[in-house]
Amino acid sequence: MPELPEVEVVKMSLEPRLLGERFRSVSVHAPALREPLDRPALTALQGAKVEALRRRSKYLLVDLDVEKTLAVHLGMSGRFTVVEPSEPRAKHEHLAFGLGDGSRLRLVDPRRFGQALVLPTRGIESDRHFAHLGPEPLGADFSGAVLAHKAEGRRGPIKTFLMDARVVVGVGNIYASEALFRAGVSPKRSVARVSRATWDRVAEAVRETLAQAIHEGGTTLNDFTDGEGNAGYFQVSLAVYGREGEACGRCDDRVRRLVQANRSSYYCSGCQR
DNA sequence: CGGTGGACCTGCTGGC
DNA sequence: TGCCAGCAGGTCCACC
């Protein structure tokens, strides 16, 4: 489900709802997501007040007034939403925080690839989950020059390269295909054969694709929603992802699918070289 | 050393 | 209708 745009959309939608709220209660229902949940650390957040919401990579960061940050990763199937008090516990509701009016902030994640970590707010960047991460694609530290530099001495296809969080964070399987279509670059192209000017085009395409997806509320393929349960609509704007066999909107070719590093890539061989 | 394949999990869809 | 294979938005790690 969630790549950078989806996490950003969840963050923005939860912000007005959570800022200044206190966690009146904490319920931990699952022993583990990707990692075992730290039940004592999570339950110790009872009474803490939300001071800020941030995003780093695909992690949603909830800064609390006890010098702790709740870091939530949605994995493939996670949903982090506020629901009414009357809403019954969902089948895969692994974690929930009671709020002042009786509603609750809950993490539902059927596949359990997500994470919920309690980390010290100060120095969170040096935590093992964050230390290796590359630049934010929508930040000032990301550019064609950075991509060109990181590609030096590397081999392999550009699509896999863009999905490497050490290179740039937040670009997952959907937006890697979409950005490469926008840039007119084949997902099969070796990073060793990309010119400096093309790296600039790729960096720009990544930025534009992600920014547009955020603007359109993220991509809802199956069940993604923001923090209030609203679906996104970028799926309507997808040019190639999930469109194998359909006509390319830009030339007379048809969209093809191939598998790279065990993931489906979608592209148009007519306009992507 | 870097890149790929498999593993982790549940649920849905399509073919027989 | 049932069963099974294949696939799904992420990430880590063993193995070439």
Side-chain angles (χ1 to χ4, degrees):
Chain A
M1 172 201 333
E3 302 182 31
L4 183 152
E6 287 72 35
V7 180
E8 185 67 23
V9 164
V10 170
K11 190 206 89 170
M12 291 189 298
S13 62
L14 286 178
E15 227 159 28
R17 198 70 180 69
L18 293 184
L19 288 185
E21 277 274 0
R22 274 184 200 284
F23 292 159
R24 303 300 169 98
S25 61
V26 183
S27 312
V28 183
H29 301 295
L33 297 180
R34 278 205 55 162
E35 303 174 27
L37 289 177
D38 188 341
R39 182 182 291 269
L42 286 163
T43 52
L45 298 181
Q46 181 170 355
K49 187 167 82 175
V50 177
E51 289 196 320
L53 266 65
R54 295 181 290 149
R55 181 192 53 74
R56 171 65 173 129
S57 185
K58 295 170 186 168
Y59 286 90
L60 176 60
L61 305 178
V62 183
D63 290 336
L64 301 159
D65 67 347
V66 289
E67 299 186 357
K68 299 285 187 191
T69 293
L70 173 68
V72 173
H73 195 294
L74 301 177
M76 290 280 250
S77 58
R79 302 171 72 173
F80 198 46
T81 57
V82 173
V83 296
E84 296 300 304
S86 59
E87 183 76 17
R89 177 142 87 87
K91 184 171 180 190
H92 297 286
E93 184 174 322
H94 305 308
L95 178 64
F97 300 90
L99 304 177
D101 61 356
S103 60
R104 68 190 189 279
L105 173 66
R106 73 179 186 184
L107 177 63
V108 175
D109 182 9
R111 293 179 73 180
R112 280 187 276 128
F113 288 166
Q115 293 180 318
L117 312 166
V118 180
L119 302 170
T121 303
R122 181 158 305 210
I124 197 170
E125 322 79 39
S126 56
D127 178 83
R128 67 183 173 89
H129 299 89
F130 298 86
H132 64 286
L133 296 176
E136 286 289 331
L138 299 178
D141 301 338
F142 178 67
S143 64
V146 167
L147 289 177
H149 177 68
K150 297 212 178 212
E152 280 173 26
R154 288 188 60 153
R155 301 175 292 111
I158 190 170
K159 196 261 192 171
T160 312
F161 179 75
L162 285 181
M163 289 178 66
D164 184 341
R166 293 167 301 180
V167 173
V168 58
V169 302
V171 181
N173 206 38
I174 293 178
Y175 299 111
S177 282
E178 291 297 308
L180 287 171
F181 175 80
R182 188 182 282 251
V185 174
S186 167
K188 294 188 280 193
R189 173 98 73 96
S190 164
V191 294
R193 298 202 314 275
V194 177
S195 70
R196 203 23 243 290
T198 300
W199 281 125
D200 284 344
R201 277 218 324 282
V202 170
E204 195 55 25
V206 167
R207 281 179 182 278
E208 290 171 355
T209 304
L210 297 177
Q212 184 187 345
I214 291 169
H215 184 71
E216 297 183 8
T219 299
T220 298
L221 291 182
N222 220 345
D223 56 2
F224 166 74
T225 67
D226 69 9
E228 294 180 319
N230 304 305
Y233 49 96
F234 188 76
Q235 62 277 10
V236 176
S237 301
L238 293 174
V240 288
Y241 184 86
R243 299 197 182 282
E244 183 182 16
E246 293 183 31
C248 167
R250 196 181 285 169
C251 71
D252 293 333
D253 246 307
R254 288 189 301 155
V255 175
R256 304 188 192 195
R257 183 180 90 99
L258 81 150
V259 176
Q260 298 177 291
N262 269 339
R263 317 296 302 277
S264 291
S265 301
Y266 298 87
Y267 70 109
C268 170
S269 61
C271 29
Q272 290 178 255
R273 300 286 158 178

